[in-house]
Amino acid sequence: MQVMSDNSDLKFVIGKYGDAVYNVICSRISRRAEADDIYQEVFLLYYTKELDFPDEAARRSWLIRTALNMTRSANRSSWNIFRDDGELDAETIPDDVRTPQEQSLWNAVRGLRDKYRLPVILHYFNGVPVAEAANMMGIGENTFKSRLMRARKLLKTELENLL
Amino acid sequence: MQNKDLDTEKLRRSQPVRSAELDRRLLERAEKLSEGRKTVGTDSAKTGFFVLNAKEDNTMDRNTKMIEVRSRKPAAFAAAAAALVLMVGGAVYASNKSTSNIDIDTPASQSETDETPAKEPEEEKIFVEPKEWAKSYLEQNNDTYGYISIPGIEYKDGSKVIDYPVAISADFDFYITHAFDKTEADGGCICADYSALDGSQPQIVQLFGSAVNCDFEWLLDNNKWTFAPAEGADTSKPSFAALQVYTTMEALTQAPIIEFKTVWQDGGEYAVIGCTQVEGDVMGIGKVDDIEKWANMIREQSYFDCDIECGADDEYLVLNLWDNDMTRFRVFAKKLDADDDKDKIIKSYRPKEGSGYEDLGEETADTNMVSIELPIPDNIRDMFLIEAYSGDEELSADTFADEDRKIYDSFFEVGRGDDLPNSFSLAIPGKGQQKVTVALIDPLSSDSTRNRVKYAVLDVDFDEGKYNVIGTVNKSGALEMFAKNPQNNIPIPLAIPDGTKSIYFDTYMDGKCVDTLYVENLSTDSAAVPNKIVLNSTGKKTVTVYARKSADKTGFEYASFDVDFDSGKLDYSENGEEKQEALTAYSEGKVRPVFIEIPVPTGYKKTVTLEAYYEDVYMGKMEYTKDSQRPFGLTLVEDGVDKISVTAVFDDKTVPDYMTMYVDFDNGTYEFTEDGEPKTGLFDQMEDE
């Protein structure tokens, strides 16, 4: 196990990729405490593992794939499926500092099916290039772009109301 | 025409923002990790897990770790040491349930963090070495997590079917596709899920195993039920396929205890408390907030009942049998403690009413099972039904398919593309000496009166476990029956969204329409959901399904598949996934297809593929051949106004921007851009070549 002598590297990585990781988690997890939990676990795992990355893209890819893996279990859990709606709503992610319009748009993004939501989160929110994001999702570039376009079309109505 | 589109900056601003407090707590935890001090826990504490700190002492053996834990009862840790587990890698989870006499100072919840000052704990250092048995596995693979075995589910020679080391990885998918020695392997190996990825033993441990070798029989042999894999099965591949024997009461009484241990912990015995079939794309059980509620839910959903006490403080094991990223069967077990009475548990297993559980034990109390092996004729279909009928006399044509005499009914299948085995086997129950008639049935034949053949007649001595084939096995009759239906029928599953109304699905292969499926009104309540197209051909083909309303001549490309009819392999073509949203919008009349006619010189004989793109995003394609029954053009279904470019692919040449146009989908019109008209001269050029 590698334990860092200081956490300056971790601070740097959180500063650089914290938003990306958090957005990916929040796009798939409804409850704030659970999202926060997974967020911490992703970075603590990064912190304690001996990981060599050839470049920053590889580091970002590892962080996002780990976040996706960790959310998968929770998101697809039979426990969540069987849980009452009241439980799901009780700790939903708050509005933060977003305007009502932005909140509505975020709700629309969250309302997209997973296959369309993730491309939006990865590419538009976090600026992950198409090839890299497609690789993270395990799909072809054309399929990724196709989903991205569908997602944009699905969000179009929301935009027309908001713009 | 103008295209109004998404403002990505506005979209980006809508994303949620994490609190600064979250990063502060994260850094605090990281700092304490590096200092070797006891950790701050996570919100997961409410699940019963807590975080321990682990740090490596270079003076120790490579597999020896020092862990520090905080507790208000440090004396209890000597007893707890064996139960606390960790392995290579960071923060360590462990179950406070395995050390139930320890009052762990669990972390504050998110809302409490600021207001509740942390108590300064008393610290205790504990040295934990991996168990002796684990060292050889750790040398082979540092990702070793534990070991699982199930006494009672055994081969005929007495060896256990499920008897495997368990691996774990931060990348959960790794051991789904890699063997324990980290080489790529179909089915991977037995692995634990990420909640235990730091070597701990959470209160609920989840293990995953593949469905490799799912074709097996559960046979009674000398008063013991044994696991008999299909001939040719590679039993060296780790698999949880055998878990499916828990759908019989015999397995519950013969194998009620699962043995599981982690590399740092003595073995534990877990009693099976439930099993369920899982529908849909469900991997893992996720996070459980209320253990007791969860345990009760399992009991309610399980096929059988039992009297095992399940509490919030108990530890649990969940075994997941997965297949193609889909969990399909789960076995739940509870760790036994001193208060549990094994004999009492075994006696308490009982099927739930209407669960379909077969209590073969009672039925076969005075019967014996005989395993019959019969040859498979050459070139037989790789899928058929087998039935067996018993009686004092040989079955005649009049009594064929006599339900009262049926003693066996099973399905034979091997994976397409696999080599067919030379024989198949069936285990039939009975007593004394009887005539048994074995029939083969072609499940794909539509002629119910001619879809079965008397394949063999046997003289079986159930008491001695012996049999003789009377006469010859009717291989030629079987071949004749299967010859009535062509080989290489491939069912192509077609996902059609709920609510689809009045849509024709035209299936094209080699430019010809080979099938049309009509969906009048699809809902989940429909008695029969038409979602499968069965095609017959040979070789590799591209199959394209177009969706259209009766008033539309062309329809639009709904899905596309690459099919190898010889091997049975089926996959989507690139961009070939079903366009369900477009279909729903089309079905509801919200969008209309726009057919873009593409001129082609008369007599053109070569194949041309035309692909439409919107800002480099693929939208649809059209393959033209001289015998094509489809009009030469593209049909697209969208809304609004889009600038569409068509790329033409002539054999191995690609011509981008073969034609470019603005398409107004709302009004069903299009107009070429400047220089966007079709470059038909290219056809002439290709003809000349």
Side-chain angles (χ1 to χ4, degrees):
Chain A
M1 182 186 79
Q2 180 190 42
V3 176
M4 307 288 181
S5 56
D6 63 65
N7 56 19
S8 56
D9 174 68
L10 181 64
K11 280 181 184 169
F12 167 77
V13 174
I14 290 173
K16 192 161 187 178
Y17 302 116
D19 286 345
V21 170
Y22 197 66
N23 286 334
V24 165
I25 294 168
C26 288
S27 73
R28 308 184 94 188
I29 298 292
S30 297
R31 300 194 314 154
R32 184 109 198 181
E34 200 168 358
D36 287 0
D37 221 14
I38 294 173
Y39 173 81
Q40 291 192 41
E41 286 173 21
V42 170
F43 283 104
L44 282 180
L45 186 63
Y46 167 82
Y47 184 60
T48 53
K49 283 278 181 186
E50 275 188 56
L51 298 166
D52 291 324
F53 299 105
D55 52 37
E56 282 303 303
R59 190 198 307 268
R60 174 172 62 189
S61 180
W62 184 91
L63 287 164
I64 289 176
R65 276 193 295 109
T66 303
L68 285 173
N69 282 338
M70 289 188 172
T71 55
R72 184 169 63 174
S73 270
N75 206 33
R76 292 177 174 177
S77 80
S78 57
W79 176 254
N80 278 339
I81 289 167
F82 288 112
R83 208 155 54 178
D84 293 335
D85 286 341
E87 285 181 78
L88 286 166
D89 293 339
E91 295 176 73
T92 48
I93 293 168
D95 292 352
D96 294 313
V97 293
R98 285 171 284 177
T99 65
Q101 283 186 343
E102 287 166 350
Q103 178 63 33
S104 300
L105 187 51
W106 171 248
N107 289 342
V109 172
R110 275 197 53 87
L112 293 173
R113 289 169 58 197
D114 207 37
K115 62 190 278 190
Y116 297 128
R117 187 170 61 240
L118 269 179
V120 172
I121 299 287
L122 292 173
H123 186 64
Y124 291 135
F125 283 16
N126 300 314
V128 181
V130 167
E132 188 183 333
N135 186 42
M136 285 176 191
M137 291 181 65
I139 59 177
E141 280 185 49
N142 274 336
T143 304
F144 183 89
K145 286 194 285 189
S146 177
R147 291 183 184 180
L148 207 54
M149 186 199 71
R150 302 281 166 196
R152 287 164 62 174
K153 293 232 169 195
L154 290 167
L155 290 170
K156 208 169 170 183
T157 310
E158 298 291 334
L159 266 185
E160 282 169 355
N161 293 333
L162 293 169
L163 286 173
Chain B
M1 297 182 187
Q2 294 297 313
N3 181 29
K4 187 180 180 185
D5 211 340
L6 187 75
D7 181 338
T8 53
E9 183 51 37
K10 277 188 167 24
L11 186 60
R12 199 171 289 125
R13 282 204 304 270
S14 75
Q15 61 190 307
V17 181
R18 69 187 187 283
S19 67
E21 171 61 17
L22 178 60
D23 284 351
R24 191 193 64 74
R25 280 188 289 134
L26 170 57
L27 289 168
E28 185 181 284
R29 289 178 63 194
E31 193 174 337
K32 290 186 177 179
L33 269 175
S34 63
E35 288 173 7
R37 289 173 50 198
K38 183 53 211 119
T39 182
V40 176
T42 73
D43 299 326
S44 296
K46 59 190 168 187
T47 69
F49 312 153
F50 67 99
V51 177
L52 299 179
N53 185 18
K55 77 173 184 182
E56 205 158 14
D57 183 339
N58 293 332
T59 63
M60 290 189 287
D61 177 78
R62 69 177 273 284
N63 289 322
T64 302
K65 308 290 175 192
M66 179 180 73
I67 62 172
E68 300 173 63
V69 293
R70 64 175 178 174
S71 165
R72 289 193 288 270
K73 295 180 182 176
F77 278 98
L84 294 173
V85 288
L86 76 167
M87 67 172 222
V88 185
V92 175
Y93 296 85
S95 166
N96 57 358
K97 309 308 175 188
S98 62
T99 57
S100 56
N101 58 336
I102 301 172
D103 186 3
I104 297 298
D105 200 3
T106 53
S109 67
Q110 185 186 346
S111 60
E112 294 167 343
T113 309
D114 289 337
E115 297 162 10
T116 310
K119 295 173 185 175
E120 196 56 43
E122 297 174 51
E123 294 189 350
E124 182 78 5
K125 293 181 180 179
I126 298 165
F127 297 89
V128 181
E129 274 196 71
K131 295 294 174 187
E132 201 58 38
W133 68 266
K135 289 181 179 173
S136 60
Y137 288 105
L138 282 165
E139 281 172 12
Q140 188 184 348
N141 184 348
N142 216 17
D143 290 341
T144 304
Y145 177 66
Y147 200 95
I148 182 169
S149 62
I150 306 183
I153 301 178
E154 294 161 359
Y155 297 109
K156 196 173 181 179
D157 65 4
S159 59
K160 294 172 193 164
V161 179
I162 293 177
D163 193 30
Y164 305 116
V166 178
I168 192 167
S169 169
D171 180 0
F172 176 76
D173 292 338
F174 184 80
Y175 286 111
I176 295 290
T177 53
H178 289 74
F180 187 74
D181 62 5
K182 297 190 176 182
T183 57
E184 275 197 40
D186 285 343
C189 65
I190 309 300
C191 57
D193 85 331
Y194 86 89
S195 66
L197 72 94
D198 291 310
S200 67
Q201 181 166 351
Q203 193 177 356
I204 301 173
V205 173
Q206 284 204 81
L207 306 182
F208 294 82
S210 78
V212 170
N213 298 328
C214 236
D215 189 13
F216 65 85
E217 287 185 296
W218 184 232
L219 304 175
L220 187 62
D221 183 56
N222 289 329
N223 295 320
K224 181 186 171 187
W225 289 85
T226 56
F227 181 89
E231 186 172 314
D234 182 359
T235 54
S236 66
K237 287 185 174 177
S239 166
F240 270 174
L243 290 177
Q244 292 174 104
V245 301
Y246 283 115
T247 53
T248 68
M249 293 306 294
E250 290 66 41
L252 285 168
T253 52
Q254 188 171 297
I257 304 298
I258 296 167
E259 293 175 353
F260 174 70
K261 56 191 174 187
T262 64
V263 295
W264 309 96
Q265 189 184 36
D266 284 330
E269 290 189 328
Y270 294 76
V272 176
I273 59 170
C275 64
T276 57
Q277 192 74 26
V278 183
E279 300 294 338
D281 186 5
V282 180
M283 285 294 279
I285 58 165
K287 195 168 172 178
V288 176
D289 289 329
D290 184 333
I291 297 284
E292 200 159 5
K293 189 175 173 184
W294 174 81
N296 286 334
M297 185 181 76
I298 292 164
R299 305 279 288 269
E300 284 171 16
Q301 293 177 352
S302 178
Y303 297 144
F304 59 86
D305 276 329
C306 59
D307 294 336
I308 306 172
E309 295 288 333
C310 293
D313 291 340
D314 287 315
E315 290 178 59
Y316 297 90
L317 187 63
V318 182
L319 308 183
N320 293 275
L321 167 64
W322 62 268
D323 191 11
N324 295 327
D325 206 25
M326 307 271 279
T327 297
R328 56 194 236 177
F329 190 74
R330 264 187 204 138
V331 174
F332 301 88
K334 189 209 87 164
K335 191 172 186 179
L336 295 177
D337 54 37
D339 298 333
D340 289 314
D341 182 337
K342 255 194 269 186
D343 292 336
K344 195 176 166 187
I345 288 170
I346 294 169
K347 285 176 185 168
S348 75
Y349 287 125
R350 55 194 179 277
K352 281 183 181 169
E353 195 171 339
S355 66
Y357 245 65
E358 295 174 38
D359 192 349
L360 296 177
E362 289 181 12
E363 287 180 12
T364 57
D366 59 349
T367 61
N368 294 313
M369 298 295 290
V370 173
S371 183
I372 308 285
E373 189 164 322
L374 292 169
I376 289 179
D378 297 334
N379 302 322
I380 200 169
R381 190 188 296 288
D382 52 9
M383 175 172 66
F384 55 86
L385 296 171
I386 309 159
E387 290 179 355
Y389 302 86
S390 69
D392 294 335
E393 296 176 0
E394 182 179 328
L395 210 62
S396 69
D398 295 338
T399 54
F400 208 75
D402 182 346
E403 286 298 317
D404 293 337
R405 295 177 62 179
K406 188 190 285 186
I407 55 172
Y408 185 86
D409 184 349
S410 186
F411 189 70
F412 176 88
E413 184 178 27
V414 293
R416 280 184 174 273
D418 293 348
D419 292 333
L420 280 168
N422 296 322
S423 63
F424 63 94
S425 60
L426 58 160
I428 52 176
K431 58 181 179 179
Q433 196 148 353
Q434 295 187 53
K435 293 269 189 314
V436 172
T437 305
V438 177
L440 299 192
I441 294 101
D442 180 0
L444 296 181
S445 170
S446 56
D447 186 349
S448 60
T449 61
R450 300 177 65 190
N451 72 338
R452 63 183 62 212
V453 63
K454 188 192 287 187
Y455 191 60
V457 179
L458 314 165
D459 192 357
V460 183
D461 185 337
F462 286 94
D463 298 337
E464 293 292 324
K466 295 176 180 174
Y467 67 92
N468 289 313
V469 177
I470 301 171
T472 56
V473 175
N474 187 12
K475 287 185 180 182
S476 58
L479 279 175
E480 189 182 336
M481 176 183 70
F482 288 114
K484 289 174 191 166
N485 284 311
Q487 299 267 347
N488 296 336
N489 276 319
I490 303 286
I492 300 177
L494 191 65
I496 301 174
D498 216 24
T500 300
K501 287 181 183 174
S502 306
I503 297 289
Y504 292 88
F505 293 92
D506 296 327
T507 303
Y508 279 76
M509 189 165 63
D510 295 332
K512 293 185 175 62
C513 184
V514 291
D515 187 276
T516 295
L517 176 72
Y518 177 62
V519 173
E520 185 167 357
N521 190 353
L522 187 67
S523 76
T524 49
D525 299 330
S526 300
V529 180
N531 60 356
K532 200 172 284 183
I533 300 160
V534 179
L535 297 179
N536 170 259
S537 187
T538 56
K540 294 178 180 177
K541 299 279 171 62
T542 297
V543 174
T544 307
V545 180
Y546 296 88
R548 66 174 170 88
K549 293 181 180 176
S550 61
D552 295 327
K553 288 182 181 175
T554 60
F556 68 96
E557 182 192 314
Y558 180 60
S560 182
F561 305 88
D562 291 330
V563 186
D564 184 340
F565 285 91
D566 296 335
S567 70
K569 287 178 182 170
L570 169 74
D571 203 354
Y572 288 113
S573 307
E574 189 173 5
N575 300 303
E577 291 179 20
E578 290 92 346
K579 296 162 185 65
Q580 295 195 39
E581 282 80 7
L583 179 66
T584 300
Y586 175 51
S587 177
E588 293 172 352
K590 293 178 180 171
V591 296
R592 70 169 73 177
V594 176
F595 179 67
I596 301 166
E597 190 177 352
I598 301 176
V600 55
T602 308
Y604 187 76
K605 294 176 182 175
K606 293 186 179 177
T607 299
V608 180
T609 302
L610 297 155
E611 297 171 342
Y613 291 88
Y614 161 69
E615 290 185 0
D616 293 334
V617 175
Y618 171 90
M619 297 188 72
K621 74 171 186 298
M622 162 78 198
E623 188 173 272
Y624 173 80
T625 58
K626 75 180 178 66
D627 296 326
S628 175
Q629 293 177 346
R630 288 187 63 77
F632 198 24
L634 276 164
T635 306
L636 304 175
V637 178
E638 290 296 331
D639 56 6
V641 178
D642 290 330
K643 183 181 177 183
I644 304 292
S645 294
V646 173
T647 296
V649 181
F650 299 78
D651 296 329
D652 59 345
K653 291 187 178 180
T654 301
V655 181
D657 298 329
Y658 174 73
M659 53 195 280
T660 309
M661 70 226 88
Y662 287 109
V663 183
D664 183 343
F665 288 100
D666 297 335
N667 294 309
T669 59
Y670 66 92
E671 61 186 54
F672 293 113
T673 62
E674 192 177 350
D675 302 329
E677 293 195 8
K679 299 175 178 61
T680 50
L682 288 168
F683 285 95
D684 300 330
Q685 184 187 334
M686 293 300 292
E687 286 275 65
D688 293 341
E689 289 176 3

